[in-house]
Amino acid sequence: MSQNEAVAALLSDMATLLELLGENQFKAIAHSRASRVIESLDKPVETLDKAALVAIDGIGDKIANKIVEFCATGRMKEHEELAAQVPGGLRQIMELPGLGPKTVRAMWQTLNITDLAGLRKAIDDGSLLTLPRMGEKAVEKIKGAIALGEEATRRTPIGLAMPLAERLRSELLALAKKHAKFKITRVEIAGSLRRGRDTIADLDFLVCTAGAFDSSSKTVHPILEEFTKLPEVRQIIVAGATKASVRCAINIHTARWKGGADQQPAEPTIQVDVRLVPEGSFGAAWMYFTGSKDHNVVLRQRALAQGMTLNEYGLFKEDKTTDVPPQHRGAKPVAAATEEDVFKKLGLAWVPPESRESVGEVALAEKDSLPELIELADIKCELHAHTTASDGKMSMRELVMEAHRRGFHTIAVTDHSKSSAVANGLSVERLKDQIKQVKQLNKQLADEGIDIKVLAGSEVDILADGTLDYDDDLLAELDVVVASPHVALSQDPKTATERLLKAIEHPMVHILGHPTGRLINRRNGLSPDMSTLIAAAKEHDTALEINAHWMRLDLRDTHVRMAVAGGCKIAIDCDDHDITDFDNLRYGLLTARRGGLTAASCVNAWDRKKLLAWLKR
DNA sequence: GCCGTTTTCGGCCCGACTGTTTTCAGTCG
């Protein structure tokens, strides 16, 4: 865990503790916001002094002191004092969907419930019903939430969430077509999926209607009613006039469980929220449901400062003489139909969804100086791919033809090195033979008039001590060297930093592959000092990889932001093992865009001449 | 606890839905 993650976790926990203690809610919100700010910070927090911390939006004098204290001593006294006052088991109860600080505090203070076991007991003996505003239905909901367990809070990797979202979107569009009378004009993906985060808590859809719209109706809108009947839906959480929330199976095609009911494994599910808005509000609504939450708050505060108010129905002139929301008094919005309109009327350039994380993008949009982010069409080559020679499923020829089909001018063959025994890594002799095969294939392709350059390469293991898995003479024969860590991924940060530095500084290495070795939701991987690696990568002209596989996405978005700020070159590679792996490029692109990457800094976006010149440097 | 295009004090984004209530508190995003 990096220092940033450690500080963010402590501040977030302080927010929870403050809520449970019934302290000023705005104090809790301030800690929660500070936690998110530190989590997405593009610098190691331990390198910042107090003045630098206070300069960050959302960090004031007091929280800066706590962060400085933690970085110096490894402790945060105020956190320890708060934690001593609150039973630790309450945190688990707070995580149950539907339960918030007010209710959990009442459970604790009135019924002396301090953990999940106590909550179960209070349900069984009926004492929970004695709490204010606690009836039969509320108890049933809590029982369901307990049964759902960790399933409710687990984030889904984008590589699983995106295909499900695209299928649900087409099913919603099919419903719209079948029921033309509802006049559905658009169905769009919003939320963190549109922002391209590496993991997704819930899927958000925006549905626009040109038909009748009454947000105060007490009946469920028919299109939302239809949505809750889709075959993927496992549970309906809420359904109303403008909104429905359900839990959907992530893998609808997995076989039904045939064993005993009590041993049935929890089926992976994800929450899906659908919001219905009138067509004229499309832009404002898409912005609102895309978020992030903090980005929205910044925009709404900006609107207020300009005498306007912003909600999902539009940007309106503020009217202080009434409490009735503008959309209910028939006010005409200043802007609402498109995102561009709303940003423009706020005095801002349109901000790409991947940048909407409240990390300074609004200030850049005000000056119209947002970076021109890299796009899928900019990617012209793949520099990290495997064949059947090691653990890939494609022959060299199949790999190259797929790269050509996708319009790439260059493809690198980078099978595993000799120490990767489980991946059938190439011995010295086999690698020398493969280099010859690459030369022959290039000649054949030229004869056949197929314009693609095949590079002889290797994904060389960075051994635990930082040495590479082949000697320099052999590496010198290769066109491209990707050096990656595969073993000893639990090293302490200092050892890991020194290990990766050796690879970055090695004159034969072009690209540092999946630098931390993390696997999302499965393995944290290394926590090297990124700022040290980035400075070295810049100095030695070594590119850092964004491994595009959705289980890796390594570098992650915050690392990319640091690397871009540090002037590093970035490679976006699919690490292809199978022909379908090429499709993971979209996820690497989203991560790159979240980090503010431009085509100029991405080696995969260069033309062949520039790329080859860099590889021969 | 944070922050300032009215403010260094006094606010703090805004709306939907549910369940338990006789008008709204709590939760969520």
Side-chain angles (χ1 to χ4, degrees):
Chain A
M1 196 191 282
S2 70
Q3 290 284 83
N4 291 31
E5 288 164 332
V7 169
L10 278 178
L11 291 173
S12 167
D13 198 47
M14 281 185 73
T16 305
L17 295 169
L18 289 166
E19 284 182 317
L20 285 170
L21 287 165
E23 300 266 342
N24 179 341
Q25 58 169 318
F26 294 107
K27 185 171 168 181
I29 290 170
H31 280 81
S32 178
R33 171 152 185 250
S35 165
R36 291 194 299 274
V37 166
I38 295 297
E39 197 179 15
S40 56
L41 195 64
D42 59 3
K43 298 178 202 69
V45 70
E46 65 272 20
T47 64
L48 303 179
D49 62 12
K50 188 177 165 186
L53 286 166
V54 172
I56 300 169
D57 220 24
I59 310 280
D61 189 65
K62 298 219 178 75
I63 289 182
N65 280 339
K66 291 170 205 174
I67 296 173
V68 169
E69 179 200 357
F70 179 77
C71 290
T73 66
R75 298 176 60 185
M76 204 179 278
K77 198 160 146 256
E78 196 181 330
H79 175 262
E80 289 172 12
E81 286 167 3
L82 290 173
Q85 298 173 56
V86 181
L90 291 183
R91 292 186 181 86
Q92 266 183 298
I93 300 180
M94 270 287 278
E95 281 182 7
L96 296 172
L99 287 184
K102 299 271 169 53
T103 315
V104 176
R105 182 172 160 78
M107 289 175 179
W108 172 34
Q109 298 287 308
T110 316
L111 299 174
N112 200 28
I113 293 170
T114 56
D115 54 21
L116 273 181
L119 177 56
R120 283 201 192 90
K121 192 164 160 287
I123 292 172
D124 290 342
D125 66 21
S127 60
L128 196 60
L129 282 166
T130 62
L131 286 182
R133 306 190 67 84
M134 185 63 68
E136 297 284 352
K137 283 190 178 176
V139 171
E140 280 309 307
K141 276 195 166 177
I142 294 171
K143 278 164 91 171
I146 294 175
L148 206 53
E150 289 180 1
E151 185 61 30
T153 50
R154 187 166 47 221
R155 299 182 65 92
T156 303
I158 189 171
L160 299 177
M162 186 71 89
L164 172 63
E166 287 173 340
R167 197 176 69 230
L168 287 173
R169 177 168 182 264
S170 38
E171 288 179 36
L172 280 164
L173 285 168
L175 283 180
K177 202 170 171 187
K178 187 173 153 199
H179 303 282
K181 60 185 169 183
F182 303 143
K183 297 187 178 164
I184 304 302
T185 54
R186 291 190 83 139
V187 175
E188 299 293 348
I189 292 170
S192 55
L193 188 58
R194 184 172 178 230
R195 300 201 311 279
R197 279 194 60 169
D198 52 14
T199 59
I200 310 296
D202 49 43
L203 303 181
D204 295 294
F205 289 96
L206 178 62
V207 176
C208 288
T209 177
F213 180 85
D214 176 11
S215 68
S216 58
S217 163
K218 291 291 169 199
T219 58
V220 180
H221 191 282
I223 195 77
L224 298 176
E225 175 96 44
E226 290 284 324
F227 165 71
T228 63
K229 291 175 184 162
L230 286 177
E232 291 87 347
V233 174
R234 293 290 176 271
Q235 181 198 346
I236 300 171
I237 301 167
V238 300
T242 78
K243 171 182 172 175
S245 286
V246 301
R247 289 200 75 84
C248 277
I250 295 174
N251 310 306
I252 192 172
H253 299 302
T254 53
R256 292 284 171 177
W257 180 251
K258 301 246 170 43
D262 53 333
Q263 291 154 26
Q264 183 167 353
E267 183 186 30
T269 58
I270 186 169
Q271 182 167 331
V272 181
D273 301 325
V274 177
R275 271 297 299 263
L276 183 75
V277 298
E279 189 184 25
S281 299
F282 171 69
W286 209 15
M287 282 172 69
Y288 176 62
F289 296 113
T290 297
S292 66
K293 181 187 174 74
D294 291 322
H295 173 86
N296 285 348
V297 169
V298 170
L299 291 191
R300 288 183 173 194
Q301 285 170 340
R302 186 180 176 87
L304 286 175
Q306 296 177 357
M308 298 184 285
T309 179
L310 176 64
N311 62 27
E312 57 264 55
Y313 295 103
L315 180 66
F316 299 89
K317 278 222 173 69
E318 204 178 16
D319 182 354
K320 287 191 171 137
T321 62
T322 171
D323 279 342
V324 181
Q327 67 273 15
H328 288 315
R329 55 172 197 263
K332 188 177 177 312
V334 177
T338 70
E339 290 193 338
E340 287 79 358
D341 283 351
V342 177
F343 275 113
K344 193 175 168 192
K345 286 296 193 304
L346 286 168
L348 300 170
W350 179 80
V351 179
E354 298 91 335
S355 302
R356 300 181 195 171
E357 295 288 350
S358 188
V359 288
E361 72 279 2
V362 175
L364 290 178
E366 185 171 35
K367 293 181 288 179
D368 197 19
S369 52
L370 287 161
E372 196 161 317
L373 300 181
I374 189 163
E375 292 177 12
L376 204 56
D378 292 326
I379 302 293
K380 293 294 178 199
C381 71
E382 169 64 54
L383 298 173
H384 184 170
H386 299 268
T387 72
T388 48
S390 62
D391 61 349
K393 298 220 173 69
M394 293 172 282
S395 69
M396 193 188 293
R397 173 105 195 174
E398 283 169 336
L399 170 70
V400 170
M401 293 315 290
E402 179 61 17
H404 181 256
R405 193 182 73 77
R406 289 178 185 252
F408 291 169
H409 61 61
T410 301
I411 171 81
V413 177
T414 59
D415 276 307
H416 288 284
S417 61
K418 63 181 197 293
S419 289
S420 282
V422 286
N424 193 23
L426 274 59
S427 66
V428 171
E429 287 311 310
R430 290 180 66 211
L431 179 57
K432 284 183 174 172
D433 186 52
Q434 191 181 56
I435 295 171
K436 284 182 199 154
Q437 289 176 37
V438 168
K439 282 183 183 151
Q440 283 169 5
L441 181 55
N442 271 315
K443 193 162 172 300
Q444 274 177 25
L445 292 165
D447 291 346
E448 293 170 34
I450 299 170
D451 183 24
I452 184 163
K453 170 78 177 168
V454 189
L455 300 178
S458 174
E459 183 184 15
V460 191
D461 257 54
I462 305 171
L463 304 177
D465 65 355
T467 55
L468 299 184
D469 200 20
Y470 294 124
D471 64 33
D472 291 1
D473 289 344
L474 181 53
L475 293 178
E477 290 184 43
L478 296 169
D479 300 316
V480 57
V481 174
V482 180
S484 315
H486 288 103
V487 294
L489 297 175
S490 308
Q491 283 175 329
D492 65 86
K494 188 164 171 286
T495 311
T497 306
E498 287 165 5
R499 173 191 188 183
L500 296 175
L501 264 183
K502 273 194 188 174
I504 289 172
E505 291 167 355
H506 193 292
M508 307 291 175
V509 172
H510 300 101
I511 297 169
L512 181 67
H514 50 71
T516 76
R518 75 155 174 173
L519 291 179
I520 289 172
N521 288 356
R522 282 168 55 188
R523 179 172 79 201
N524 287 333
L526 304 169
S527 299
D529 177 349
M530 273 296 162
S531 51
T532 302
L533 298 191
I534 285 163
K538 161 95 174 142
E539 185 189 341
H540 295 272
D541 201 22
T542 306
L544 301 179
E545 179 184 81
I546 299 171
N547 192 293
H549 198 289
W550 51 267
M551 284 172 65
R552 292 193 182 271
L553 294 174
D554 172 21
L555 306 172
R556 65 177 63 187
D557 52 6
T558 49
H559 294 156
V560 178
R561 248 204 350 272
M562 293 167 75
V564 166
C568 282
K569 293 184 175 65
I570 299 285
I572 307 175
D573 284 321
C574 287
D575 194 355
D576 301 295
H577 286 73
D578 196 316
I579 199 159
T580 57
D581 288 344
F582 280 92
D583 292 329
N584 288 324
L585 189 55
R586 59 192 306 200
Y587 305 123
L589 246 294
L590 286 168
T591 296
R593 289 169 60 87
R594 288 177 62 78
L597 186 66
T598 60
S601 300
C602 178
V603 297
N604 309 72
W606 295 350
D607 62 34
R608 185 187 289 161
K609 195 176 160 203
K610 186 173 178 186
L611 175 71
L612 294 183
W614 174 66
L615 291 173
K616 288 206 175 77
R617 82 212 193 281

